[in-house]
Amino acid sequence: MNKMARGLSYLIAACFEAVAVIFGAALAARYLDANHPQGFRWLALTMPVGFLVICHTFYVVLRAIVRMDKETSATDGSQGGNKRS
């Protein structure tokens, strides 16, 4: 598989993971509101934690894509640098 196609698939998977995290945070907040009532709504706590998880996921994915791009460009550059005219 092409490295950039793999990077795009990582990015698409991160989007699906973000939707799952938001949905899970909402479900967890609903469960906590029903079973552990507090003076505040649990959604105010679970959503920011979910967004932190999403930010971390996108950071890791983008870092992996940049690393794959550097490896690809380093491989292309080293082949051209070894040729003698």
Side-chain angles (χ1 to χ4, degrees):
M1 179 185 278
N2 185 1
K3 288 187 179 185
M4 291 315 289
R6 188 177 352 154
L8 182 61
S9 65
Y10 288 163
L11 195 58
I12 292 170
C15 291
F16 282 112
E17 183 179 343
V19 170
V21 167
I22 290 172
F23 187 68
L27 286 178
R30 182 182 295 174
Y31 171 80
L32 289 170
D33 281 337
N35 295 321
H36 303 285
Q38 296 290 327
F40 59 92
R41 294 206 40 172
W42 282 101
L43 192 64
L45 181 68
T46 59
M47 275 300 170
V49 171
F51 285 129
L52 285 175
V53 170
I54 291 169
C55 289
H56 178 263
T57 299
F58 277 101
Y59 170 73
V60 169
V61 167
L62 291 175
R63 190 176 65 184
I65 291 172
V66 168
R67 186 179 305 136
M68 282 191 297
D69 185 47
K70 285 182 181 179
E71 289 173 359
T72 303
S73 63
T75 304
D76 294 341
S78 64
Q79 290 175 353
N82 290 337
K83 292 182 182 179
R84 292 185 180 183
S85 18

